[in-house]
Amino acid sequence: MGVLPAMSLGLYSESTIGHSVKGEPILCYSVGVGMDAVLVIGGTHGDEIEGVWLVEKFLADAKAKDWDLTEQTIYIISRHNPDGIAARTRHNANGVDLNRNFAEGWEPTPSAQRYHPGPNALSEPETCALVNFIAIRPEIKRVVTIHTPFDFIDYDGDEAKRLAELMSAKNGMPVKRIEYATPGSLGHFCRARNLPLVTVELPKGGTPDSLWAKHRDALWAFVKGS
Ligand SMILES: [Zn+2]
């Protein structure tokens, strides 16, 4: 009798949570069936490909480990801004910074063009897709989003600070708050809901494999919450 290979239980699904300005689907993968739900986001800014790579590596690993995910459900959106990723632009196809387009703290006048918040809060379909997705899933207990180009872990709220420090112990990145205002950001949206948000700001560069080697344990610590 040989040893059975590790097998996927198929606790995995894929859904379209909305569409981009150009009609591309925004996909969300769900792995596991546990009560402790977390959300992992990459690719909100299309010119920050490192976050897309890292979240896609995480997705592949989570799918391979679904047998071990009886406690958790992991929602994974690796390409929140498909048009921006295709064009390698920070903004979506309307020239809007999605991380300034949430309703909470939204301000009409950007401090610079790169932070263009859109004509009004929630004007962009990519922002609405994420807001609607979270709004009907109160089981989501914490959120991590991956950006570049800094080299630190930011957080919103006390529980998020604890999670950021947990990640820091695994990947060696410093924990600190971003030093400029981010009106209409996902951070404001999550704070308004008491939803812990950790923002990992990766330095630019690396490869999918090198990013995964450095941040794998930190991401899993976040997902497990300990
Ligand atoms: Zn970013």
Side-chain angles (χ1 to χ4, degrees), residues 45 48 147-148:
H45 293 138
E48 300 176 4
H147 286 257
T148 65

Side-chain angles (χ1 to χ4, degrees), residues 43-48 90 97 99-100 114 145-150 180 199-201:
T44 294
H45 293 138
D47 57 350
E48 300 176 4
R90 175 182 180 88
D97 183 342
N99 206 32
R100 298 294 182 279
R114 68 189 256 101
T145 183
I146 316 293
H147 286 257
T148 65
F150 306 114
Y180 50 86
T199 302
V200 177
E201 281 278 354

Side-chain angles (χ1 to χ4, degrees), residues 6-75:
M7 290 174 66
S8 167
L9 296 180
L11 304 178
Y12 160 74
S13 66
E14 175 184 327
S15 60
T16 299
I17 66 165
H19 291 84
S20 69
V21 171
K22 290 189 168 179
E24 291 296 320
I26 300 168
L27 300 176
C28 180
Y29 303 87
S30 168
V31 188
V33 290
M35 298 298 289
D36 183 32
V38 305
L39 173 61
V40 181
I41 304 169
T44 294
H45 293 138
D47 57 350
E48 300 176 4
I49 196 66
E50 293 86 348
V52 176
W53 289 342
L54 181 57
V55 175
E56 289 184 342
K57 281 283 189 185
F58 178 75
L59 170 63
D61 198 41
K63 284 163 74 173
K65 286 184 175 151
D66 66 356
W67 48 269
D68 196 30
L69 291 173
T70 53
E71 306 283 315
Q72 252 118 13
T73 297
I74 312 175
Y75 297 114

Side-chain angles (χ1 to χ4, degrees), residues 26 41 49 58 77 85 93 110 125 132 180 182 190 203 207-208 220 223 226:
I26 300 168
I41 304 169
I49 196 66
F58 178 75
I77 300 169
I85 293 165
N132 292 338
Y180 50 86
T182 59
C190 287
T207 65
W220 277 110
V223 166
S226 61

Side-chain angles (χ1 to χ4, degrees), residues 29-224:
Y29 303 87
S30 168
V31 188
V33 290
M35 298 298 289
D36 183 32
V38 305
L39 173 61
V40 181
I41 304 169
T44 294
H45 293 138
D47 57 350
E48 300 176 4
I49 196 66
E50 293 86 348
V52 176
W53 289 342
L54 181 57
V55 175
E56 289 184 342
K57 281 283 189 185
F58 178 75
L59 170 63
D61 198 41
K63 284 163 74 173
K65 286 184 175 151
D66 66 356
W67 48 269
D68 196 30
L69 291 173
T70 53
E71 306 283 315
Q72 252 118 13
T73 297
I74 312 175
Y75 297 114
I76 303 168
I77 300 169
S78 60
R79 293 171 176 256
H80 178 208
N81 178 6
D83 298 343
I85 293 165
R88 295 283 190 270
T89 59
R90 175 182 180 88
H91 301 143
N92 73 350
N94 286 335
V96 173
D97 183 342
L98 299 179
N99 206 32
R100 298 294 182 279
N101 190 235
F102 293 85
E104 293 73 14
W106 185 85
E107 291 180 2
T109 309
S111 57
Q113 187 59 35
R114 68 189 256 101
Y115 303 123
H116 199 284
N120 50 268
L122 300 176
S123 59
E124 305 309 304
E126 298 90 347
T127 320
C128 293
L130 186 59
V131 166
N132 292 338
F133 179 80
I134 293 173
I136 60 171
R137 286 175 182 78
E139 73 272 22
I140 294 175
K141 305 240 182 9
R142 53 196 175 277
V143 181
V144 61
T145 183
I146 316 293
H147 286 257
T148 65
F150 306 114
D151 186 5
F152 61 80
I153 308 174
D154 190 12
Y155 58 90
D156 286 275
D158 291 343
E159 170 63 2
K161 184 179 185 191
R162 183 188 74 80
L163 293 162
E165 287 170 348
L166 195 63
M167 297 181 80
S168 173
K170 301 288 187 185
N171 65 11
M173 292 174 75
V175 174
K176 58 177 276 194
R177 298 304 318 280
I178 206 158
E179 286 167 358
Y180 50 86
T182 59
S185 68
L186 180 64
H188 283 255
F189 171 83
C190 287
R191 264 203 298 278
R193 282 161 183 72
N194 273 327
L195 183 58
L197 172 71
V198 169
T199 302
V200 177
E201 281 278 354
L202 300 172
K204 290 302 249 186
T207 65
D209 285 340
S210 71
L211 291 164
W212 180 237
K214 176 164 185 189
H215 301 287
R216 175 188 55 214
D217 291 349
L219 275 177
W220 277 110
F222 176 90
V223 166
K224 298 286 184 180

